Amino acid sequence: MKPVNLQTKVTIYCYEELNSAEKSLIDKAKEATSRAYAPYSKFSVGAAALLQNGEIVTGNNQENVAFPSGLCAERTTLFYANSQYPDQAVLSLAIAAYTGGDFLARPISPCGSCRQVILETETRYRHPIRILLYGKEEIYVIEGIQNLLPLAFGSLTD
Ligand code: THU
């Protein structure tokens, strides 16, 4: 028997503490919530991905009357980025959520399927993704998906 302690790290910032590039990525994720298609949940999520070439790609959640057919903002954004710029690593990903007429005070964190896709994107481009989770009162900054998806499929066999 050998217990293993897994550690994850999250750093909490307020908006004013971020640099201008980080603020701008978050602003783009916030803007992208306004283009979400979320008639069922009324929960609009936006994401913005900064690519190695400096391009910023945005996306949002796209729902469907057949619920499982919809897609989260993170995967919409990463799949779009990877489909349009297949040779560009994703450096960072900002996420914001808007519901009931306002942005949330505290961040939401990507669902399990999105974490798996973030991991695949990191692996594909051999580059960690800096994840910025926006909340009006707190912004969580996470340096790489291993902090959100420890013991990921594949990580024990590497
Ligand atoms: N959603 C996202 O787009 N990203 C997340 O990180 C969590 C949830 C979407 C899925 C669905 O359209 C709505 O938010 C409510 O769950």
Side-chain angles (χ1 to χ4, degrees):
M1 213 267 285
K2 190 175 86 168
V4 179
N5 291 317
L6 302 172
Q7 280 201 328
T8 64
K9 186 176 162 196
V10 176
T11 310
I12 301 179
Y13 290 86
C14 63
Y15 185 78
E16 292 67 35
E17 289 176 316
L18 301 177
N19 68 33
S20 60
E22 294 164 336
K23 283 180 181 158
S24 156
L25 198 67
I26 283 179
D27 292 347
K28 290 203 161 59
K30 289 173 72 181
E31 260 168 53
T33 64
S34 66
R35 298 185 292 275
Y37 178 65
Y40 305 105
S41 70
K42 312 224 182 308
F43 192 81
S44 298
V45 184
L50 172 67
L51 310 187
Q52 191 125 45
N53 64 0
E55 199 79 39
I56 291 176
V57 168
T58 65
N60 37 51
N61 51 334
Q62 297 292 319
E63 297 185 348
N64 193 283
V65 65
F67 280 12
S69 301
L71 200 63
C72 294
E74 295 90 328
R75 275 176 289 162
T76 304
T77 304
L78 289 178
F79 288 154
Y80 182 74
N82 297 164
S83 64
Q84 296 302 305
Y85 302 93
D87 56 352
Q88 296 297 319
V90 177
L91 304 187
S92 40
L93 180 69
I95 300 154
Y98 183 96
T99 192
D102 206 354
F103 289 96
L104 300 184
R106 284 176 217 301
I108 55 154
S109 193
C111 77
S113 296
C114 288
R115 292 176 197 211
Q116 192 69 40
V117 170
I118 295 169
L119 170 65
E120 188 78 21
T121 309
E122 284 194 353
T123 309
R124 174 177 176 179
Y125 297 105
R126 295 190 180 82
H127 200 291
I129 298 178
R130 188 153 194 260
I131 303 164
L132 307 165
L133 304 178
Y134 174 77
K136 282 195 306 177
E137 289 172 13
E138 291 182 333
I139 294 163
Y140 288 11
V141 178
I142 296 151
E143 305 290 347
I145 195 64
Q146 82 279 357
N147 288 295
L148 287 181
L149 194 63
L151 286 186
F153 176 62
S155 65
L156 292 178
T157 50
D158 288 344

